[in-house]
């Protein structure tokens, strides 16, 4: 069996046709494989970059929304700090005035009802350690006010006027659990007199961090405050927190990174808020992000393999059909008792190759020269070198054989203010600019028009037009061409048609 295969391979590889088929098949396979792999990894890299930028933009939009809400809450705190009733509450000797407390209570109630992000508002008197709060009301001592553990923030203000912190709300305070609170100093005549505490509704405040259009991705988003404490997090996937912490340590202060942890690629982006100082972090598992890209890569590879098989079969079939006359000729020549050296004079493959090469070269020369010859015919007619109708008709049929019997239009392009134009540009640029003008016009008219351009010297260039589709008119297209020439080449051109 092995000997038979070796014999078959040796016999077939001795033929030039079989070697050609083998080389083409292997080359096509390697090219398709290289293109497929290169396309996949290139598209993956581009997609990672684009999606990374998209994540940063989305994170920035969400950060801006939250910053705006925090700024609005800070404005509410400023209104409270500047309110007359609050001023009376902090400065009067008797704080339990019914009118003052009632007025302050109504004012705070109005602020809360006008904002869907504010849960409650406290006013704290530093000197007397008393509270005026919504919805708790007035409390003369922090010992009787349930939610008073936060008053230690007095020492954290320093030179700042506002603080934003996450804190735990004790049971009995109306809404136990964690809460994000904005604290603002109340300064009266330069003295630190009190604190406004605006308690925010956490879920409503951070709702934008979980857009429904991204729920198909394995992702996690969270916010970290200035003290590296977690303010809020949302995730639809079970991330290993140790891995996440390691990834964040690796990221450091960078805006984004592509990090691999435990054979899982994570796309991480973070932004720092200029308003609150919080860090907004987005972590996405790339397997979910690039799932469709991987499917596309597999499909491309399968299509490439299918194309390879089909191409190989086609090559073998064409080889069998195309080289049949060559094999027949060789069989005919083999009937003569000639030596191998004698066959060199009848090298059919070399002769066929030379003939095909010459034919391709000749066809290319004809195509390149036909346009120039047609242009030369127009120039000769214009200059009077061809005056006989018969001579013109004969050359027309020869050079314009592909044109139909439809009417033709002649347009003459004339450069405006030619004398000024010729002085503006050097003599070597004149022909180049006119050639560029003709090329622009030809590009705009094709493919709906047949077109030939001819240089009539100085400021004139002639254009011969014939529509490929019946009923087309050239005026609008010619006006557009003149506008494009003027815009690109920086000089104006007029046209006359007939």
């Amino acid at each position: 069996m092995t000997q038979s295969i070796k014999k078959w391979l040796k016999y077939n590889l001795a033929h030039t046709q079989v070697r050609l088929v083998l080389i083409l098949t292997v080359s096509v396979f390697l090219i398709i494989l290289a293109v497929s792999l290169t396309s996949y990894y290139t598209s993956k890299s581009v997609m990672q970059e684009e999606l990374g930028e998209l994540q940063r933009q989305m994170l920035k939009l969400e950060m801006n929304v939250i910053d705006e809400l925090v700024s609005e809450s800070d404005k509410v705190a400023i209104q409270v700090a500047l309110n007359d009733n609050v001023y009376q509450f902090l400065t009067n000797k008797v704080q339990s005035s019914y009118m003052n407390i009632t007025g302050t209570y109504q004012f705070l109630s109005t602020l809360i009802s006008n904002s869907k992000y504010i849960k409650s508002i406290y006013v704290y008197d530093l000197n007397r350690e008393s509270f005026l709060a919504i919805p708790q009301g007035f409390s003369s001592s922090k010992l009787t006010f349930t939610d008073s553990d936060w008053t230690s923030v007095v020492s954290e203000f320093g030179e700042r006027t506002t603080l934003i912190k996450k804190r735990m709300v004790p049971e009995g305070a109306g809404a136990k659990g964690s809460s994000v609170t904005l604290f603002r100093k109340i300064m009266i005549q330069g003295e630190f007199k009190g604190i406004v505490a605006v308690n925010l509704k956490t879920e409503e405040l951070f709702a934008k961090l979980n857009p429904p259009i991204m729920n198909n991705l394995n992702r996690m988003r969270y916010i970290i405050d200035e003290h590296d404490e977690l303010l809020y997090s949302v995730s639809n996937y079970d991330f290993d927190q140790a891995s996440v912490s390691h990834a964040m340590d690796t990221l450091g202060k960078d805006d984004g990174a592509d990090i691999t942890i435990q054979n899982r690629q994570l796309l991480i982006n973070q932004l720092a808020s200029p308003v609150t100082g919080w860090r907004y972090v987005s972590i996405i598992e790339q397997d979910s992000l690039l799932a469709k890209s991987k499917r596309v890569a597999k499909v491309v590879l399968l299509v490439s393999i299918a194309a390879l098989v089909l191409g190989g079969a086609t090559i073998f079939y064409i080889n069998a059909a195309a080289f049949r006359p060559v094999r027949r000729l060789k069989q005919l020549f083999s009937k003569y008792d000639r030596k191998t050296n004698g066959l060199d004079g009848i090298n059919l493959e070399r002769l066929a190759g030379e003939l095909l090469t010459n034919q391709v070269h000749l066809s290319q020369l004809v195509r390149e020269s036909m346009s120039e010859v047609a242009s030369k015919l127009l120039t000769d007619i214009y200059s009077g070198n061809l005056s006989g109708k018969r001579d013109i008709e004969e050359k027309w049929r020869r050079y314009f054989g592909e044109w139909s019997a439809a009417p033709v239009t002649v347009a003459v392009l004339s450069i405006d203010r030619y004398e000024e134009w010729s002085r503006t540009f050097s003599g070597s640029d004149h022909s180049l600019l006119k050639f560029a003008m003709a090329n622009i016009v030809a590009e705009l008219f094709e493919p709906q028009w047949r077109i030939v351009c001819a240089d009539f010297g100085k400021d004139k260039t002639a254009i011969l037009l014939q529509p490929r589709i019946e009923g087309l008119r050239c005026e609008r297209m010619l006006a557009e061409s003149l506008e494009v020439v003027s815009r690109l080449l920086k000089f104006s051109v007029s046209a006359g048609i007939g």
Side-chain angles (χ1 to χ4, degrees), residues 217-220 237 239 261-268 283-291:
L217 300 178
N218 298 336
R219 67 190 184 93
M220 177 180 182
Y237 187 72
F239 282 93
I261 297 177
Q262 296 180 355
N263 296 324
R264 294 166 62 188
Q265 285 187 306
L266 303 177
L267 185 63
I268 305 178
I283 300 177
I284 297 181
E285 189 180 34
Q286 293 195 34
D287 286 341
S288 64
L289 190 66
L290 302 174

Side-chain angles (χ1 to χ4, degrees), residues 378-477:
L378 297 182
T379 304
D380 288 342
I381 295 174
Y382 171 74
S383 60
N385 295 335
L386 291 177
S387 57
K389 179 179 180 182
R390 183 176 180 181
D391 192 13
I392 294 175
E393 289 179 348
E394 180 183 349
K395 291 191 175 182
W396 178 274
R397 287 192 297 270
R398 186 186 307 168
Y399 303 149
F400 295 85
E402 296 181 356
W403 289 42
S404 66
V408 296
T409 302
V410 177
V412 177
L413 307 183
S414 177
I415 299 173
D416 297 339
R417 297 182 296 277
Y418 176 74
E419 295 298 332
E420 179 183 344
W421 177 85
S422 61
R423 290 192 299 270
T424 303
F425 301 98
S426 62
S428 59
D429 291 337
H430 291 179
S431 298
L432 181 62
L433 290 171
K434 293 177 71 177
F435 178 74
M437 176 179 66
N439 272 351
I440 291 173
V441 176
E443 287 289 337
L444 292 174
F445 271 93
E446 291 180 350
Q448 294 183 330
W449 293 77
R450 299 183 180 92
I451 181 169
V452 171
C453 302
D455 186 359
F456 282 179
K458 288 191 176 181
D459 63 330
K460 294 183 179 64
T461 297
I463 299 175
L464 189 65
L465 300 167
Q466 185 183 64
R468 297 180 186 270
I469 302 173
E470 186 176 355
L472 289 178
R473 297 184 64 83
C474 66
E475 286 83 353
R476 183 183 61 81
M477 186 64 71

Side-chain angles (χ1 to χ4, degrees), residues 94-320:
V94 179
Q95 288 188 318
S96 57
S97 170
Y98 175 79
M99 292 186 61
N100 184 47
I101 292 177
T102 303
T104 307
Y105 196 91
Q106 291 176 349
F107 172 68
L108 299 180
S109 299
T110 302
L111 292 177
I112 293 176
S113 63
N114 290 335
S115 174
K116 64 178 181 179
Y117 301 102
I118 298 177
K119 181 165 51 178
S120 59
I121 300 176
Y122 303 159
V123 177
Y124 174 58
D125 186 337
L126 267 66
N127 296 329
R128 286 171 280 196
E129 296 185 342
S130 57
F131 288 86
L132 184 56
I134 294 293
Q136 291 89 339
F138 172 71
S139 179
S140 60
S141 173
K142 68 177 182 180
L143 297 177
T144 58
F145 192 77
T146 306
D147 188 12
S148 61
D149 293 340
W150 55 267
T151 54
S152 59
V153 300
V154 173
S155 60
E156 299 180 23
F157 274 101
E159 298 298 326
R160 292 182 294 181
T161 57
T162 59
L163 285 176
I164 303 176
K165 294 188 62 175
K166 180 181 179 181
R167 62 188 185 85
M168 297 304 297
V169 179
E171 294 187 14
K176 66 178 181 179
S178 62
S179 176
V180 175
T181 303
L182 183 146
F183 302 101
R184 185 171 187 89
K185 285 182 178 180
I186 300 178
M187 306 294 293
I188 298 177
Q189 296 179 353
E191 186 179 353
F192 189 2
K193 284 288 188 177
I195 298 174
V196 178
V198 180
N199 299 307
L200 304 176
K201 297 177 182 178
T202 306
E203 293 300 326
E204 287 79 357
L205 180 65
F206 299 126
K208 297 295 183 180
L209 279 181
N210 189 28
I213 58 173
M214 302 293 289
N215 285 339
N216 59 324
L217 300 178
N218 298 336
R219 67 190 184 93
M220 177 180 182
R221 293 195 171 189
Y222 55 93
I223 302 176
I224 302 175
D225 67 9
E226 296 172 300
H227 304 290
D228 294 332
E229 294 181 2
L230 184 64
L231 287 178
Y232 184 82
S233 67
V234 59
S235 174
N236 62 349
Y237 187 72
D238 186 18
F239 282 93
D240 182 4
Q241 293 303 314
S243 300
V244 171
S245 299
H246 176 67
M248 291 305 302
D249 293 339
T250 305
L251 180 64
K253 297 298 183 181
D254 295 335
D255 292 337
D258 182 7
I259 299 174
T260 301
I261 297 177
Q262 296 180 355
N263 296 324
R264 294 166 62 188
Q265 285 187 306
L266 303 177
L267 185 63
I268 305 178
N269 292 282
Q270 70 172 349
L271 293 173
S273 169
V275 176
T276 61
W278 297 343
R279 284 190 296 156
Y280 292 74
V281 182
S282 170
I283 300 177
I284 297 181
E285 189 180 34
Q286 293 195 34
D287 286 341
S288 64
L289 190 66
L290 302 174
K292 292 184 179 180
S293 176
K294 289 186 176 180
R295 285 198 294 269
V296 170
K298 291 178 181 178
V299 171
V300 170
L301 187 59
L302 291 176
V303 171
S304 300
I305 294 175
L308 175 62
V309 174
L310 181 61
T314 303
I315 290 173
F316 276 102
Y317 174 77
I318 294 177
N319 170 70

Side-chain angles (χ1 to χ4, degrees), residues 309-369:
V309 174
L310 181 61
T314 303
I315 290 173
F316 276 102
Y317 174 77
I318 294 177
N319 170 70
F323 288 100
R324 187 179 294 116
V326 177
R327 287 193 293 269
R328 180 58 180 161
L329 287 173
K330 284 190 174 182
Q331 290 176 2
L332 292 175
F333 284 117
S334 65
K335 294 180 180 180
Y336 298 95
D337 294 329
R338 299 185 179 185
K339 297 181 180 179
T340 305
N341 293 334
L343 293 175
D344 291 340
I346 313 176
N347 193 332
L348 297 177
E349 295 181 16
R350 180 179 57 81
L351 180 60
E354 291 179 357
L355 289 175
L356 290 174
T357 302
N358 292 337
Q359 177 65 23
V360 170
H361 182 63
L362 182 60
S363 299
Q364 184 178 358
L365 288 178
V366 171
R367 286 194 302 270
E368 292 177 353
S369 61

Side-chain angles (χ1 to χ4, degrees), residues 48-60 214 221 269:
Q48 284 177 334
E49 182 178 350
E50 294 296 328
L51 290 175
E53 181 61 28
L54 174 62
Q55 291 303 309
R56 284 191 290 272
Q57 292 297 328
M58 292 183 64
L59 205 60
K60 185 175 181 180
M214 302 293 289
R221 293 195 171 189
N269 292 282

